[in-house]
Amino acid sequence: MARAYDLRSILFVLVAFVGAVVVLRDLRYDFAFVGDMRAAELSRRTQEVTATMTSTVMQTEKTMVTETIQVASDPPPAEKANAAFVILTRNKDLKDLRETLVQLEDRFNRRYKYPYVFLNNEPFSDTFKEKIQGMVSGECQFGLIPEEHWSYPEYIDQTRAAEARKDMQDRKVIYGGNESYRHMCRYESGFFFRHPLMDQYKWYWRVEPGVKFGCEIDYDPFLFMERNNKKYGFTISIKEVIETIPTLWNTTMDFMNKHKEMIPAANLMDFVTDKKGDYNRCHFWSNFEIGSLDFLRSDQYMAYFDHLDRAGGFFYERWGDAPVHSLGVSMFLNKNEVHWFEDIGYFHGPLWNCPKGEANKKCWCSEEESIEIKNPAWSCTLNFKDLPAPKL
């Protein structure tokens, strides 16, 4: 009798152990799956667990347990800004873009359903549009860039531009020989906000294919900007490669000397200059921007862009939209109007902005990877943070 009891006890413990291993294995798989897929796409999940119970007479019966979890669709918030995501992309970027949008939707937009504007210098394919529309919660608009916004102005010497590309390629300057990259930088500097699809909006959030969002964004950055009188927001700031912009600073100083009336006394020029007043190459990395379209459409910024465009540095050198935007922001805005989104986990290879301390609990990125910690000599973010508040 005691031996039969012992046998039953041993069998029961053995069966319980095997069942626990199976469940843990399934849970581990389940969590990995959820980590890869956005919550908005999980409308139903069914988990089947087969438990085997063994009796003292060695009879076996199988019990099927089915668990169905309903993931409710988040209702849109009561208040939203007049805003959109803007994405300059190509048909061949589809895979990278979908991976980015899965994260952006999961971390933020599934709750807010802001619209998307996709821009391309070539027509989007039907496949591209179908696969994008099927995975995002907001309205999608697909725009073709006007040829005059993605071509050489009549005042550009194309032979000189080609020679400049060859020289920079020979010197191994990053993107030095890339013609399309120059058109992209010029377009992002002075034209994307003039596309007709952008006319209806007051705020934009720039997104690029392949970037990652490492944290839950549990508030609306657009409304934060609007309610706090901010006009430009960033996550990462670094120093530009000087070989790409050898004359940009002098061209900017020429503009400032000719248009002193446009430059407010309270500005952010200390961010882009050192203690001697020389250009320090600091700029906001513009692959992530949340900003005011009214600022970019302003007479001051447009005058600055036109001055740069006439100088030809987008083609004769390799002026990037990041230093151009940053110099415009530094001239015309003050520190109170610019915001570091320290709490938004963001990656654009090879750099991270990752929240620190308590804010990191809602992230999967490591705060030690953040550029201002990992490589403070390259980062300009703490320079921005330490600037005093403006005297208005």
Side-chain angles (χ1 to χ4, degrees), residues 2-288:
R3 172 172 289 183
Y5 178 80
D6 291 342
L7 179 60
R8 288 197 300 271
S9 298
I10 291 171
L11 288 172
F12 181 82
V13 171
L14 181 61
V15 169
F17 174 79
V18 171
V21 169
V22 170
V23 171
L24 286 173
R25 181 201 62 194
D26 288 344
L27 284 174
R28 182 178 63 182
Y29 171 80
D30 225 10
F31 286 132
F33 179 75
V34 172
D36 290 335
M37 298 295 292
R38 64 186 176 95
E41 294 179 322
L42 294 176
S43 61
R44 186 182 300 267
R45 179 167 64 90
T46 302
Q47 180 185 39
E48 296 183 348
V49 179
T50 303
T52 303
M53 303 299 294
T54 306
S55 69
T56 56
V57 293
M58 304 303 290
Q59 292 179 335
T60 302
E61 71 172 338
K62 294 184 178 181
T63 304
M64 188 73 71
V65 180
T66 301
E67 177 191 15
T68 302
I69 298 177
Q70 300 287 345
V71 180
S73 176
D74 295 300
E79 183 181 2
K80 291 170 59 176
N82 181 9
F85 298 102
V86 58
I87 305 175
L88 180 63
T89 187
R90 301 159 295 185
N91 289 306
K92 66 180 182 180
D93 296 327
L94 180 60
K95 179 179 182 296
D96 288 343
L97 180 56
R98 279 167 58 86
E99 290 176 358
T100 291
L101 294 179
V102 163
Q103 295 185 31
L104 182 57
E105 284 287 318
D106 183 42
R107 309 304 192 254
F108 171 71
N109 203 46
R110 63 184 170 82
R111 294 184 297 275
Y112 293 90
K113 299 175 175 56
Y114 277 107
Y116 293 84
V117 175
F118 300 91
L119 301 175
N120 192 351
N121 65 311
E122 297 178 352
F124 284 110
S125 68
D126 290 340
T127 298
F128 182 96
K129 289 187 281 190
E130 289 171 3
K131 287 187 175 294
I132 292 298
Q133 288 174 317
M135 65 179 303
V136 298
S137 58
E139 177 189 0
C140 293
Q141 296 176 292
F142 301 90
L144 182 64
I145 295 171
E147 184 178 357
E148 60 271 23
H149 292 175
W150 197 280
S151 57
Y152 290 100
E154 60 182 11
Y155 43 83
I156 294 298
D157 181 341
Q158 295 190 41
T159 300
R160 178 184 170 188
E163 292 171 349
R165 292 196 303 275
K166 176 65 167 58
D167 172 66
M168 294 181 75
Q169 185 174 27
D170 290 345
R171 290 187 288 121
K172 301 187 185 317
V173 177
I174 185 171
Y175 299 119
N178 192 317
E179 183 178 28
S180 178
Y181 190 86
R182 286 167 166 79
H183 287 295
M184 181 275 290
C185 290
R186 179 174 179 258
Y187 184 77
E188 293 283 26
S189 295
F191 292 102
F192 84 88
F193 50 90
R194 290 191 263 181
H195 194 283
L197 291 179
M198 299 299 294
D199 287 347
Q200 61 185 301
Y201 301 113
K202 294 179 68 67
W203 300 92
Y204 74 99
W205 181 334
R206 178 171 163 181
V207 178
E208 291 195 357
V211 303
K212 299 178 181 179
F213 293 91
C215 308
E216 187 75 4
I217 304 172
D218 51 12
Y219 68 100
D220 187 337
F222 289 124
L223 286 180
F224 170 85
M225 297 284 285
E226 190 168 69
R227 291 169 177 171
N228 291 279
N229 298 314
K230 306 292 184 182
K231 296 182 180 178
Y232 188 85
F234 71 99
T235 52
I236 295 171
S237 66
I238 54 176
K239 295 181 175 70
E240 181 61 295
V241 178
I242 193 61
E243 289 81 6
T244 66
I245 54 165
T247 67
L248 177 58
W249 177 246
N250 287 338
T251 307
T252 298
M253 292 299 292
D254 180 57
F255 171 83
M256 295 180 71
N257 289 330
K258 291 178 178 178
H259 300 280
K260 294 180 179 179
E261 77 285 355
M262 289 187 175
I263 316 300
N267 56 52
L268 200 55
M269 292 302 291
D270 285 347
F271 173 68
V272 294
T273 55
D274 59 24
K275 293 180 180 179
K276 297 179 180 179
D278 297 327
Y279 185 42
N280 62 13
R281 300 181 288 124
C282 283
H283 65 276
F284 307 113
W285 219 21
S286 58
N287 45 71
F288 176 104

Side-chain angles (χ1 to χ4, degrees), residues 228-231 268 334-339 388-390 392:
N228 291 279
N229 298 314
K230 306 292 184 182
K231 296 182 180 178
L268 200 55
N334 63 63
K335 187 185 179 185
N336 288 347
E337 296 172 303
V338 180
H339 181 68
L392 302 176

